[in-house]
Amino acid sequence: YFYRCMRYSSFKRSYLSPLFRMKVYALQQAPATPLANLDRLDREHVTDVLTGCPTLEDLGVNLTKIEDRAAWELKPWRRHRYYEEYVGEYSDPEPPPVIA
């Protein structure tokens, strides 16, 4: 969705790039305590389990939808950002799918 907001139509991004995988593999070969490994990477970065720590809502942060902010926040990195476009020349990107 972010790349569609920045008008990059054919950009492909994988979850873990081969270079990043090689860095993690090199770090897991450490002799004493490995700094990172693929198992730890999955455990720490791909979880939605609440651990009892306060959430953003508990801390009083007003949550907004990413669709409302993404176009404005990503405008400085948009492709052809200095081009004066006409109204309706580019269609708005379709929002990302909702996962329940």
Side-chain angles (χ1 to χ4, degrees):
Y1 176 71
F2 295 125
Y3 291 104
R4 288 193 307 261
C5 286
M6 293 186 299
R7 298 183 183 146
Y8 289 97
S9 59
S10 61
F11 189 85
K12 286 189 174 183
R13 177 100 179 159
S14 65
Y15 172 65
L16 296 173
S17 67
L19 180 63
F20 184 72
R21 283 181 182 251
M22 286 191 306
K23 287 180 184 177
V24 170
Y25 181 74
L27 287 173
Q28 93 181 25
Q29 300 302 321
T33 304
L35 299 173
N37 58 27
L38 291 175
D39 181 46
R40 183 175 176 186
L41 185 77
D42 282 340
R43 275 186 287 138
E44 290 184 1
H45 299 284
V46 190
T47 180
D48 290 335
V49 178
L50 296 176
T51 59
C53 295
T55 62
L56 291 174
E57 293 171 341
D58 296 337
L59 297 174
V61 175
N62 295 329
L63 303 179
T64 59
K65 291 184 179 180
I66 193 69
E67 297 89 4
D68 297 338
R69 299 287 301 177
W72 188 82
E73 295 286 346
L74 297 172
K75 191 172 184 177
W77 295 278
R78 190 177 357 183
R79 189 173 180 198
H80 306 300
R81 62 186 161 271
Y82 299 112
Y83 172 69
E84 282 291 329
E85 62 189 56
Y86 296 108
V87 175
E89 185 174 355
Y90 293 104
S91 63
D92 293 333
E94 58 186 60
V98 177
I99 300 174

